[in-house]
Amino acid sequence: MGSLSRMYNPLFHPFLFLYQLMQWCLDKALSPTPPDPTARLHRPKVAVIGAGITGVTAAAHCIGHGFDVVVFEAGPKSNLGGIWSKVNNTSRLQIHSLMYRFHPSVKWEQGYPDRQQILSQLEQLWERYGLDSRTRFETPVEKVYQDERGRWIVNNTSNGRFEGIIAAVGTCGEPKMPPLEGIETFKGPVYHSSQLSGKDGHGKKIVVVGGSASAVEALEWAAAENAEKTYILSRSDKWIIPRNAVVDMLLSLNIRGQQTIFSWIPEGLLRRFFYRDLEDMAPAKKGIFTDTPMVNSDVLDKVREGKADWVRGDVQSFTPEGVIVNRRGRGVPENGPGKTEVIPADIVVMATGYKRPSLAFLPDDCFEPPYDPPNWYLQTFPPTHPSISAINCTYVNAIGTAGNWHIGIYTRILLMFLVDPLTRPRPFWMRTWIDFTRLLKKGSPTAAFDFFTYLELLWWFVFCVAINPFRWKWALFVFFGLGFALPKYIVDAESSLKNGESKHEAHGRDVGRSF
């Protein structure tokens, strides 16, 4: 399991060979050893809700470090992989796979793997850590609540009791198909951007309604089908950044995680060296650190080749042969003045995204303003419950990726809180951190937790461990997942400092104990 299906020759493909060698070393050094199937796992027992990239990865980390876990998935087994199980066969990773290492054991064969490679790696991870026997498919979670001892119950007591909850339902649920005036008059087929596999687009004119990541997915399909021309109808401006690992990483290194007085530098460089003759497509009034950018180089190449046309405008209505659009100039706001024109179409693709899955199954006190999501401790822990971590569920916009090392770090922070009462934050300090972060980002054009960068996320993790001396002994475990650094024996030796451990155990593992 998890082995490379093909090893590149170092003479002909030196960089790919070195990349594979690096991945092999990471796997050997940092991947937790899967436990023997007959071994009895330790408590705390964790419930993972969702079997996508995040859910399977978090469960694998729990199992790998000897803690029991149950995965609850609302859909059938075909849903394993979350959103990647639903997208088109032509869909590929937009960012470089260096930034999509959701588990140390992942071994990519190339820089931008496709849907099938991603699902294959996830299935290998799922089987390698024995999650096939711990996943309950077709089990939608309607509520989680605590018993008299503070243990979590998922739906009802027949599912067991848990010390921790990992909500991993993600941000993409069912396809979203908003109603558009007159669309029923269009004589051609209308598809959602996730339903294009097997459809014929050869030699056709394709209109894509929407201008974000789903539009890129539709453009990839249209290019693979050798469509005559693709029109992307984008209602709002959105930054496009190149498919280049160095550029993407540099943009992620903004530690403040917000638009600053220096943001004009990367924006100017992108306009000059990436957009070049297509600078009109670049946003005029939106900063790059305010919204999740699209990561793609083919969009601009297809426009230059005449294979695609990027239309900034508002969809007015449909005709049997096309779409009526109000085409706006650069900097003109939505529904502002423009030129009305009819764009011909044989196929309409609705790149309108996905409905956001609800976190309503969590307790009501997780949603009390002003500490409702995404305004949570380190953005995933509701201040009232440090035993809940909603990994990759609460973010709005970011430069980085949802499928990277932070899944394991968040999981191990949760395990630290569950195992060691002295590390567990009190609600007061969790709210104080939230307020402090709001203060630091007071000058941001977006709300404090509506946008962040990956380096800012790493700074949050360092702060989390550094601020409490009782967490210092957990640093190697939290950041690198090194099994020998799991300091359970030290926690046992500190029992005299817990000031009433039996009282704590009587109330479960959801009460903050740290100073």
Side-chain angles (χ1 to χ4, degrees):
M1 291 297 173
S3 62
L4 289 168
S5 58
R6 177 172 53 153
M7 178 62 73
Y8 285 97
N9 188 311
L11 296 178
F12 299 107
H13 303 282
F15 293 109
L16 286 174
F17 175 79
L18 290 174
Y19 186 30
Q20 291 182 327
L21 181 62
M22 180 200 74
Q23 294 181 100
W24 182 86
C25 294
L26 289 173
D27 181 22
K28 294 300 180 184
L30 301 179
S31 290
T33 303
D36 187 289
T38 61
R40 183 178 179 181
L41 298 175
H42 308 293
R43 300 196 78 89
K45 189 175 183 180
V46 178
V48 178
I49 302 170
I53 293 284
T54 300
V56 171
T57 302
H61 281 293
C62 291
I63 290 288
H65 293 299
F67 300 103
D68 205 357
V69 69
V70 176
V71 181
F72 296 89
E73 168 54 45
K77 186 178 178 180
S78 59
N79 277 19
L80 186 68
I83 188 61
W84 282 105
S85 69
K86 303 175 183 178
V87 298
N88 305 305
N89 292 332
T90 55
S91 297
R92 306 178 71 87
L93 194 62
Q94 294 300 313
I95 58 174
H96 196 280
S97 54
L98 273 170
M99 304 173 69
Y100 205 74
R101 299 202 55 78
F102 51 83
H103 192 272
S105 66
V106 169
K107 296 186 179 71
W108 302 119
E109 292 186 8
Q110 54 186 281
Y112 299 94
D114 59 19
R115 167 186 181 269
Q116 201 54 47
Q117 292 176 57
I118 294 169
L119 289 178
S120 175
Q121 288 295 316
L122 187 77
E123 290 168 4
Q124 290 180 25
L125 183 66
W126 184 65
E127 294 174 359
R128 179 181 184 182
Y129 286 90
L131 298 175
D132 47 348
S133 62
R134 291 181 169 85
T135 304
R136 301 180 185 179
F137 291 107
E138 299 183 330
T139 308
V141 173
E142 298 173 354
K143 62 178 178 179
V144 297
Y145 61 97
Q146 292 177 293
D147 64 12
E148 66 282 355
R149 294 184 58 189
R151 295 170 300 182
W152 291 105
I153 296 171
V154 178
N155 289 340
N156 55 66
T157 55
S158 66
N159 289 316
R161 288 173 166 81
F162 305 88
E163 283 75 32
I165 298 288
I166 294 177
V169 296
T171 60
C172 298
E174 294 303 312
K176 186 165 53 178
M177 294 279 281
L180 294 176
E181 182 182 344
I183 195 170
E184 68 280 355
T185 66
F186 179 63
K187 66 181 182 181
V190 179
Y191 306 119
H192 187 266
S193 59
S194 64
Q195 302 166 339
L196 298 175
S197 292
K199 305 299 189 298
D200 180 19
H202 181 76
K204 306 264 180 85
K205 296 183 182 71
I206 298 171
V207 165
V208 179
V209 179
S212 57
S214 297
V216 171
E217 183 175 300
L219 182 62
E220 288 177 334
W221 167 79
E225 288 291 309
N226 196 22
E228 179 182 336
K229 190 158 187 175
T230 304
Y231 299 87
I232 301 176
L233 312 185
S234 179
R235 186 174 59 179
S236 59
D237 285 336
K238 200 173 188 71
W239 279 96
I240 306 173
I241 60 178
R243 247 184 177 181
N244 183 291
V246 175
V247 173
D248 300 345
M249 288 181 183
L250 288 174
L251 290 173
S252 300
L253 294 181
N254 176 359
I255 195 169
R256 294 190 62 186
Q258 66 183 63
Q259 194 77 2
T260 70
I261 59 173
F262 301 107
S263 297
W264 64 271
I265 298 175
E267 293 169 7
L269 292 173
L270 286 171
R271 288 192 179 100
R272 182 173 179 82
F273 297 106
F274 180 59
Y275 283 91
R276 303 195 307 275
D277 54 314
L278 299 176
E279 187 179 345
D280 182 69
M281 289 177 56
K285 301 178 181 179
K286 178 186 290 186
I288 193 169
F289 296 106
T290 59
D291 192 12
T292 304
M294 288 192 297
V295 185
N296 193 274
S297 301
D298 292 340
V299 174
L300 301 184
D301 291 340
K302 291 291 185 293
V303 172
R304 291 188 179 99
E305 295 168 5
K307 290 287 188 179
D309 187 8
W310 188 276
V311 181
R312 180 189 293 110
D314 311 293
V315 175
Q316 302 292 301
S317 185
F318 286 76
T319 70
E321 288 78 27
V323 186
I324 302 174
V325 177
N326 174 44
R327 187 191 285 257
R328 294 181 273 107
R330 187 181 183 208
V332 178
E334 296 178 25
N335 299 313
K339 177 186 177 183
T340 301
E341 58 183 82
V342 178
I343 296 179
D346 300 309
I347 298 173
V348 169
V349 177
M350 300 292 287
T352 45
Y354 302 84
K355 299 176 183 176
R356 194 176 189 110
S358 174
L359 290 169
F361 54 82
L362 297 177
D364 290 341
D365 59 0
C366 295
F367 303 94
E368 296 175 353
Y371 304 104
D372 48 347
N375 304 293
W376 283 354
Y377 181 64
L378 307 178
Q379 208 178 43
T380 66
F381 296 89
T384 48
H385 297 289
S387 59
I388 294 176
S389 185
I391 306 175
N392 291 338
C393 295
T394 60
Y395 72 88
V396 181
N397 287 293
I399 289 183
T401 171
N404 211 349
W405 296 95
H406 65 277
I407 299 175
I409 296 175
Y410 272 130
T411 302
R412 293 188 292 270
I413 289 176
L414 175 68
L415 293 175
M416 174 180 70
F417 289 167
L418 298 180
V419 171
D420 189 350
L422 293 174
T423 67
R424 204 169 306 140
R426 295 183 184 274
F428 170 80
W429 292 114
M430 297 171 83
R431 294 188 183 103
T432 299
W433 179 84
I434 295 168
D435 293 337
F436 178 67
T437 303
R438 284 172 171 155
L439 181 63
L440 285 178
K441 301 180 73 171
K442 187 176 180 180
S444 173
T446 64
F449 295 97
D450 284 358
F451 183 91
F452 63 90
T453 59
Y454 209 79
L455 187 60
E456 182 186 17
L457 188 66
L458 297 180
W459 149 243
W460 291 353
F461 294 149
V462 171
F463 178 88
C464 173
V465 173
I467 195 67
N468 184 340
F470 290 107
R471 296 175 187 166
W472 295 351
K473 62 183 177 292
W474 290 88
L476 289 177
F477 174 74
V478 166
F479 293 125
F480 304 106
L482 299 175
F484 70 84
L486 179 60
K488 293 179 64 178
Y489 64 96
I490 302 179
V491 174
D492 294 337
E494 290 174 342
S495 58
S496 61
L497 300 176
K498 295 181 183 178
N499 191 23
E501 181 179 11
S502 60
K503 179 180 178 181
H504 164 74
E505 293 301 331
H507 290 81
R509 299 172 182 265
D510 200 39
V511 180
R513 301 286 294 174
S514 74
F515 69 89

